[in-house]
Amino acid sequence: FLIGKIYNGRWSLERAKRDHAMRLDTNQLTASIEQMKTALKIIPDAQSREELMGIEGSAAKAYFESFPQLILKNESVFHFEGRTRRPPLDPVNAMLSFVYTLLGNEIAGALESVGLDAAVGFMHTLRPGRSSLALDLLEELRAPLADRFVLSQINLGKVTEKDFSQKENGAIYLKDDARKNFLSAWQKRKQETLTHPYLKEKISWGLVPYVQALLLARYIRGDLDAYPPFMWK
């Protein structure tokens, strides 16, 4: 899961560096990419869950340090200084949290459909009411599917400052109409196709959670020698 997560985050930054080199601080991007490449090299030698979490934390920090550079439009409105979750304190975090919830629910349904218990995770421990295994599987799909979707909504001008409201506790949320438009765009995004990196077959993005759940189930049941994480490029 973590190899998939860090690999995909790294390639999101690599793509930005390639496509928008004239607009970005390539030195910072390169530094983040190198930190993530180092994390990928040392993960196989980790001896405990705690060590893995430490590696993951460092890689995530490197990724989000460069994430603001991927926001190419209305930077003053969509200012991002890092993840804030409960509650989200800016428009970018509001959209990230919303799309992570959407994707997490879809992954949980995919896991249940292949006979796995979405609550029994590996990295995310058991907690009442939490789909821990779905959160595990979500990690490798954050950057290529969820994060890139949010960035596309910002950079294409699909969301603006007027689409958000602030609660008394400082939480920022999408307004009702904006949420409907966001959901509609999310459904369209899932209909777009890609060649699955492991199966080498063309599928829709919306099927990726199901395919990964199926591959995980096959590994757990002994039909595969290893679980192939989703590694997008």
Side-chain angles (χ1 to χ4, degrees):
F1 296 136
L2 292 183
I3 286 172
K5 174 182 182 173
I6 298 169
Y7 179 95
N8 292 332
R10 172 229 167 158
W11 277 104
S12 288
L13 300 184
E14 293 272 17
R15 279 200 172 199
K17 180 181 172 183
R18 179 195 69 191
D19 296 342
H20 306 287
M22 300 299 292
R23 299 183 58 179
L24 306 179
D25 180 350
T26 55
N27 288 333
Q28 185 189 47
L29 279 171
T30 299
S32 292
I33 288 166
E34 290 303 315
Q35 289 179 59
M36 298 174 83
K37 286 166 69 174
T38 298
L40 287 170
K41 290 177 183 177
I42 62 178
I43 276 181
D45 296 324
Q47 298 297 309
S48 66
R49 177 183 175 278
E50 289 69 29
E51 189 176 351
L52 281 172
M53 292 299 94
I55 296 169
E56 187 270 344
S58 297
K61 182 174 182 290
Y63 173 74
F64 278 117
E65 282 176 350
S66 287
F67 187 81
Q69 293 206 60
L70 310 189
I71 298 169
L72 305 175
K73 188 169 185 172
N74 291 336
E75 292 96 326
S76 60
V77 173
F78 297 104
H79 184 65
F80 182 83
E81 293 187 353
R83 280 291 284 140
T84 55
R85 296 171 176 82
R86 297 182 185 89
L89 298 177
D90 59 67
V92 179
N93 274 293
M95 289 187 288
L96 287 175
S97 291
F98 188 30
V99 79
Y100 290 163
T101 298
L102 293 173
L103 183 54
N105 289 338
E106 291 166 13
I107 293 170
L111 290 166
E112 298 287 351
S113 75
V114 298
L116 297 180
D117 188 338
V120 183
F122 294 96
M123 294 185 299
H124 294 83
T125 53
L126 281 170
R127 184 184 297 172
R130 183 167 76 173
S131 297
S132 294
L133 185 57
L135 292 175
D136 285 351
L137 198 55
L138 172 63
E139 294 297 338
E140 60 194 79
L141 300 181
R142 287 183 191 270
L145 184 49
D147 295 358
R148 284 178 62 82
F149 171 72
V150 168
L151 289 166
S152 73
Q153 293 300 291
I154 297 171
N155 294 336
L156 294 174
K158 301 294 185 181
V159 288
T160 63
E161 186 175 12
K162 65 180 177 59
D163 291 321
F164 299 86
S165 62
Q166 186 172 23
K167 307 295 184 183
E168 291 182 0
N169 65 349
I172 303 292
Y173 293 103
L174 281 163
K175 294 179 180 177
D176 289 344
D177 287 345
R179 189 181 299 110
K180 291 176 184 176
N181 293 334
F182 190 87
L183 284 168
S184 177
W186 174 244
Q187 294 303 324
K188 289 179 182 177
R189 175 72 176 100
K190 291 193 301 176
Q191 292 170 13
E192 296 176 13
T193 59
L194 75 155
T195 299
H196 191 278
Y198 179 76
L199 299 181
K200 308 301 182 186
E201 295 178 6
K202 185 164 284 190
I203 63 170
S204 69
W205 274 100
L207 273 179
V208 171
Y210 174 76
V211 170
Q212 293 307 123
L214 190 60
L215 291 170
L216 180 60
R218 291 187 64 193
Y219 163 61
I220 290 172
R221 292 172 182 139
D223 298 329
L224 289 176
D225 292 333
Y227 167 68
F230 180 80
M231 299 176 74
W232 167 86
K233 189 172 179 180

